[in-house]
Amino acid sequence: MQKAGILGGGQLGRMLLQEAANYPVETYVLENDPDCPAAHLCHHFIKGDIRNFDDVYNFGKDLDVITIEIESVNVDALEKLAAEGRRVIPTPAALRIIKNKVSQKAFYTEHSIPTAAYRVVQSMNELQKHIGDWLPAVQKIGEGGYDGRGVQVIMSVDDAAKGFDSESVLEKKVAISKEIAVIVAVAEGGDTALYPPVEMIFDPYLNLLNFQIAPADVQQNMLWRIQAVARTVAKQLSSPGIFAVEMFISKEGELYVNETAPRVHNSGHHTIEANYSSQYDMLWRILLNYPLGNPASVESSSLVNLLGEPGHTGEVKYEGLEEVLKMENVFVHLYGKKQTKPGRKMGHVTIMSKDKQDLVHKAQQIRHALKVVAH
Ligand SMILES: Nc1ncnc2c1ncn2[C@@H]1O[C@H](COP(=O)(O)OP(=O)(O)OP(=O)(O)O)[C@@H](O)[C@H]1O
Ligand SMILES: [Mg+2]
């Protein structure tokens, strides 16, 4: 039986492990928190720091294949493991490009992949110097930001004071009409499968995805462009794995790549029920060198993220769970986190229906009925 390791033990790892039970695989998780969402679903939990060279190297050296569920891992250790013959998916080279937003943007430019215009700044000082003729802008720290925490919208020169004092990308703010994400699956030999694009609606305050519809409602021409761009991103990264390509459609009808994640992604949670082969099932097929599955949609879906309620920190309690569980074609996923805090991703709910009105209506109903609060 193959031994597969996952760096990181969050909800993505947890859902990946739920699918692992269908395959001949022995699973390993490396993570600091022995109570993390993935800890109790793997065969072997190893406590350690995914950013530490020795921890990652020692974790991976006797495994057949290693993957990630978060980008902030020690890539040097993965490089050494790959050089010693371990299969590392995605490749350390692809991970290195994506991990830093500066190199990620350079990659898009180099391969003529459309992306918002940008400058690179090294410090607050440089930010102040370059902001004047570049407004409105979005500043993104090069490394370490996630869930919107490394992103700052800068509307005016005064706003620049709340910017980041570290190496970052300063993008022109795009007037967004729609946010789209496409998941691409790439097998070891290069076989590729594309999931239908999803459409996202964000909370402007928390910067977190909280409502999604799949498949996205876009015109045929735009769909072809989206698919072509997603394929190009995956092809140029030349790595097996699952890649989630986030894009914007601007008010002028232009398509831009926002960012790519080299792993299973929040925008693919619905694929568990709403697609023939889920992103998690697909990743196991890739990791274990089996043929790709069918990414096609079984039925349209909407997805609500369950975030910790503002003002609630402490031991978690779910209000309104019974009411939601009574609803038809509604699927609840809780991530098993013991502590809630404002905005923390605690679970998600997938809704399936042929009728778009029903998808929107039920999503709103669930957002109001189900609350993640503290005891
Ligand atoms: N150039 C831009 N113009 C307008 N809005 C933007 C721009 N870049 C980012 N945003 C907005 O900010 C959100 C977060 O940006 P981004 O995806 O780069 O950050 P992130 O921290 O990696 O987020 P996540 O981990 O949630 O994907 C985007 O989904 C989009 O709504
Ligand atoms: Mg994003």
Side-chain angles (χ1 to χ4, degrees):
M1 197 146 62
Q2 288 194 57
K3 295 179 176 173
I6 305 167
L7 299 180
Q11 62 268 16
L12 294 165
R14 179 184 177 94
M15 288 181 268
L16 186 57
L17 288 163
Q18 287 178 320
E19 286 299 321
N22 297 326
Y23 288 99
V25 62
E26 194 174 339
T27 55
Y28 292 71
V29 166
L30 179 70
E31 162 75 49
N32 252 331
D33 174 10
D35 241 354
C36 67
H40 310 292
L41 280 89
C42 55
H43 295 109
H44 309 275
F45 177 82
I46 287 96
K47 185 172 157 52
D49 184 352
I50 57 174
R51 288 161 303 182
N52 178 278
F53 182 94
D54 292 331
D55 286 5
V56 172
Y57 177 74
N58 290 326
F59 172 75
K61 68 184 190 327
D62 298 317
L63 301 178
D64 298 297
V65 59
I66 300 128
T67 194
I68 57 161
E69 63 111 56
I70 184 165
E71 288 91 331
S72 57
V73 297
N74 192 294
V75 183
D76 292 338
L78 289 177
E79 236 156 31
K80 185 166 158 71
L81 289 166
E84 290 175 3
R86 310 280 79 79
R87 290 173 67 233
V88 179
I89 295 175
T91 63
L95 196 48
R96 221 181 261 293
I97 292 168
I98 288 175
K99 207 179 159 208
N100 187 305
K101 289 203 174 178
V102 175
S103 53
Q104 198 184 134
K105 287 292 274 191
F107 164 82
Y108 298 137
T109 310
E110 185 185 334
H111 296 287
S112 306
I113 293 160
T115 190
Y118 75 103
R119 292 170 171 174
V120 178
V121 294
Q122 301 296 337
S123 61
M124 173 61 83
N125 198 3
E126 274 193 39
L127 170 66
Q128 302 277 7
K129 236 188 306 183
H130 289 288
I131 196 69
D133 63 345
W134 205 247
L135 288 166
V138 180
Q139 188 190 15
K140 303 178 177 183
I141 49 173
E143 253 183 72
Y146 66 100
D147 284 356
R149 262 170 275 188
V151 176
Q152 186 70 54
V153 177
I154 301 177
M155 297 302 289
S156 66
V157 174
D158 289 343
D159 260 6
K162 65 181 186 193
F164 305 107
D165 187 18
S166 56
E167 187 186 52
S168 49
V169 169
L170 194 59
E171 280 183 13
K172 279 270 199 195
K173 187 167 185 295
V174 175
I176 298 173
S177 97
K178 235 170 220 189
E179 295 204 34
I180 300 283
V182 183
I183 292 175
V184 189
V186 185
E188 184 92 58
D191 271 358
T192 301
L194 248 67
Y195 283 85
V198 305
E199 191 176 312
M200 299 171 288
I201 294 142
F202 283 81
D203 184 322
Y205 298 103
L206 286 172
N207 251 341
L208 270 179
L209 166 64
N210 55 24
F211 187 102
Q212 170 189 296
I213 299 269
D217 184 12
V218 290
Q219 307 233 304
Q220 187 63 50
N221 273 351
M222 183 51 85
L223 178 63
W224 286 329
R225 273 162 73 188
I226 291 168
Q227 289 170 334
V229 167
R231 272 184 197 283
T232 305
V233 171
K235 179 163 187 276
Q236 297 301 342
L237 285 169
S238 12
S239 162
I242 293 279
F243 298 92
V245 187
E246 296 181 13
M247 305 179 198
F248 306 136
I249 301 172
S250 75
K251 296 227 160 88
E252 295 80 40
E254 291 300 314
L255 183 68
Y256 299 99
V257 170
N258 175 34
E259 59 167 351
T260 302
R263 52 165 170 79
V264 287
H265 193 251
N266 200 123
S267 66
H269 289 338
H270 67 292
T271 61
I272 295 173
E273 288 92 5
N275 295 67
Y276 289 95
S277 170
S278 76
Q279 61 169 346
Y280 306 101
D281 175 67
M282 198 69 102
L283 184 54
W284 283 115
R285 290 165 174 266
I286 296 166
L287 295 175
L288 303 175
N289 244 332
Y290 292 124
L292 293 180
N294 177 5
S297 159
V298 176
E299 182 131 277
S300 298
S301 65
S302 57
L303 185 132
V304 176
N305 282 288
L306 300 179
L307 307 179
E309 277 294 304
H312 287 258
T313 301
E315 205 185 317
V316 67
K317 196 173 80 177
Y318 305 96
E319 276 176 10
L321 188 54
E322 288 205 15
E323 188 183 333
V324 172
L325 287 169
K326 271 188 215 148
M327 293 167 74
E328 223 173 292
N329 297 328
V330 163
F331 305 89
V332 177
H333 296 258
L334 301 177
Y335 301 153
K337 297 178 184 176
K338 295 201 169 115
Q339 301 289 319
T340 185
K341 57 184 179 195
R344 189 172 193 202
K345 291 177 180 167
M346 301 299 288
H348 74 262
V349 183
T350 303
I351 303 132
M352 286 167 71
S353 176
K354 284 185 182 56
D355 176 10
K356 180 148 184 206
Q357 285 306 313
D358 190 34
L359 290 176
V360 173
H361 176 72
K362 279 200 178 124
Q364 274 160 354
Q365 222 181 322
I366 289 164
R367 272 185 67 80
H368 289 110
L370 188 51
K371 301 276 183 212
V372 183
V373 298
H375 259 297

